[in-house]
Amino acid sequence: MRVAVVGAGVIGVTAAVAVKEAFPTFEVTVFAEIFTPHTTGDGSAGLWGPFVLADTDPRKIVEWSLLTHKWMKNFWKSGRAAETGVSLLPCYRLSCKSYTKPEWLSVVYGGCELTEKELKRLSKANKTEYTGGVHFVTFTCEPVKLLPYLMKKLESMNGQFVQRKITDLKQLGEEGFDIVINCTGFGSKELVGDKSVSPVRGQVMRVKGPWLLECTLEEGHHGNYVIPNIDSTVLGGTYQEGDYDCSINPSDTKSIKEGCERIYPSIKKCGIISEWAGLRPGRVQVRLESEIMSSLKKKDLVIIHNYGHGGSGVTLCWGCALNVVEILHQQLKIKNLSKL
């Protein structure tokens, strides 16, 4: 059985690894125009935390994110944390808008809602007005380290990588593939004509700040965040729907720097390492489902779509990859029954 995975971000590579682990005899090939360190995920801080998921079913979010959290825990406990870019950090997530207790709070360690007294203290310290918030301990899993690790793992299992832009999924059926897993994120807007996919622009900067040992995120269109990574600290950010511009906007740079310095004044002493802007794959909800296409060689080419993860690619990646495996099991069972 030949499987083509289209897309080499965290969603695509985790799907490829999960499929190869579940079906060792399958031939798995990952096709992508861009590989690490140039994927959208490589620009992110890799913080576990559901974000920009629109109307995705909250039950699915909890299911997928829980499986990913356990996966990250295994890296952290097994001595592979440095290799996979995993850290365990305390985190404040504070709302500057209407507040609702997050359904995923039970997944993280020590998750609790902040009291009115704590909110007043933080509002005063950070010079803003918070309507609610939570404190918890969770993981960062940096794609710039995770992706090379997973790619090496897939190669060790005889998986292959091909640098090539795919413009038609049916063409892969013509080339003899039986199953295609579409993990092209924002690219699905063009590749499969999904008009519900839209860009959500994010701009961040990386600074030197080894003394910063906790995450703080403000939820709201004007909110800022500070997320320590292993070799740098990520300052953000922007949430700009419908914006396709991946160049650095000086106005956003100023807003990010001033906003993060408001939260942690010591950031004024941090040297800027780099800046980055990218497009999150926004969608009305994550698309994780199968369909059957026909091509000249494959009358029943199985397509499994796995895209539209917004700002939660790292948070949902392994849970969604395992869901891909479940769908594949179902499709193979259907195909075998149809031959009886």
Side-chain angles (χ1 to χ4, degrees), residues 69-143:
H69 200 270
K70 290 180 177 179
W71 181 64
M72 292 177 182
K73 180 182 70 174
N74 289 335
F75 286 140
W76 187 71
K77 294 181 69 176
S78 65
R80 289 172 289 168
E83 187 178 6
T84 56
V86 172
S87 299
L88 188 62
L89 295 169
C91 182
Y92 283 103
R93 190 154 165 170
L94 305 161
S95 182
C96 303
K97 55 183 182 179
S98 178
Y99 168 76
T100 302
K101 180 181 177 181
E103 297 197 26
W104 48 261
L105 192 59
S106 61
V107 174
V108 292
Y109 303 123
C112 62
E113 291 187 282
L114 298 175
T115 64
E116 286 297 322
K117 183 178 180 180
E118 289 170 323
L119 287 171
K120 287 181 180 179
R121 177 182 62 81
L122 289 167
S123 294
K124 182 178 180 180
N126 298 351
K127 298 180 178 62
T128 191
E129 291 295 328
Y130 298 127
T131 58
V134 293
H135 184 266
F136 53 93
V137 177
T138 191
F139 296 104
T140 51
C141 187
E142 302 171 37

Side-chain angles (χ1 to χ4, degrees), residues 2-313:
R2 301 184 67 203
V3 180
V5 178
V6 186
V10 288
I11 297 298
V13 176
T14 51
V17 169
V19 168
K20 188 63 177 175
E21 286 184 341
F23 305 96
T25 61
F26 284 13
E27 177 186 319
V28 177
T29 304
V30 178
F31 292 91
E33 185 178 15
I34 297 173
F35 289 89
T36 187
H38 305 296
T39 72
T40 299
D42 285 297
S44 74
L47 178 69
W48 185 101
F51 182 61
V52 192
L53 286 168
D55 296 325
T56 300
D57 186 342
R59 293 170 298 180
K60 284 291 185 183
I61 293 174
V62 172
E63 175 189 334
W64 293 328
S65 63
L66 173 61
L67 290 169
T68 305
H69 200 270
K70 290 180 177 179
W71 181 64
M72 292 177 182
K73 180 182 70 174
N74 289 335
F75 286 140
W76 187 71
K77 294 181 69 176
S78 65
R80 289 172 289 168
E83 187 178 6
T84 56
V86 172
S87 299
L88 188 62
L89 295 169
C91 182
Y92 283 103
R93 190 154 165 170
L94 305 161
S95 182
C96 303
K97 55 183 182 179
S98 178
Y99 168 76
T100 302
K101 180 181 177 181
E103 297 197 26
W104 48 261
L105 192 59
S106 61
V107 174
V108 292
Y109 303 123
C112 62
E113 291 187 282
L114 298 175
T115 64
E116 286 297 322
K117 183 178 180 180
E118 289 170 323
L119 287 171
K120 287 181 180 179
R121 177 182 62 81
L122 289 167
S123 294
K124 182 178 180 180
N126 298 351
K127 298 180 178 62
T128 191
E129 291 295 328
Y130 298 127
T131 58
V134 293
H135 184 266
F136 53 93
V137 177
T138 191
F139 296 104
T140 51
C141 187
E142 302 171 37
V144 73
K145 295 179 181 290
L146 176 68
L147 285 171
Y149 168 84
L150 293 176
M151 290 174 71
K152 288 179 183 177
K153 181 173 183 177
L154 186 62
E155 287 177 333
S156 72
M157 297 187 289
N158 297 317
Q160 298 181 351
F161 294 90
V162 176
Q163 188 166 19
R164 169 184 156 195
K165 183 176 181 178
I166 301 298
T167 58
D168 184 355
L169 297 181
K170 289 183 180 180
Q171 181 60 38
L172 293 168
E174 301 296 331
E175 296 173 19
F177 286 94
D178 306 285
I179 298 152
V180 176
I181 304 172
N182 172 29
C183 303
T184 54
F186 180 64
S188 289
K189 185 179 184 69
E190 177 182 349
L191 181 61
V192 297
D194 189 341
K195 295 181 180 179
S196 70
V197 178
S198 62
V200 182
R201 181 180 180 273
Q203 181 174 319
V204 301
M205 69 170 63
R206 289 183 179 269
V207 301
K208 297 178 181 178
W211 60 87
L212 295 165
L213 299 173
E214 69 175 13
C215 305
T216 294
L217 301 92
E218 295 179 337
E219 291 190 315
H221 290 310
H222 64 288
N224 290 96
Y225 56 80
V226 177
I227 306 173
N229 273 185
I230 294 171
D231 300 316
S232 63
T233 295
V234 179
L235 310 182
T238 63
Y239 177 100
Q240 296 155 331
E241 296 179 289
D243 191 333
Y244 289 80
D245 187 3
C246 288
S247 62
I248 300 303
N249 185 322
S251 177
D252 290 333
T253 297
K254 183 175 183 291
S255 176
I256 290 168
K257 193 169 185 298
E258 290 179 351
C260 292
E261 289 174 356
R262 170 177 52 79
I263 300 171
Y264 295 105
S266 64
I267 287 174
K268 293 177 182 179
K269 299 179 181 180
C270 294
I272 298 175
I273 298 172
S274 63
E275 294 186 81
W276 176 88
L279 307 180
R280 305 178 184 97
R283 195 175 185 274
V284 290
Q285 56 184 301
V286 173
R287 187 182 185 191
L288 185 41
E289 62 183 3
S290 64
E291 68 171 312
I292 306 298
M293 289 186 179
S294 296
S295 65
L296 294 176
K297 288 188 177 180
K298 298 288 180 182
K299 293 183 179 180
D300 56 351
L301 177 65
V302 177
I303 309 291
I304 300 176
H305 297 287
N306 183 19
Y307 66 86
H309 298 78
S312 302

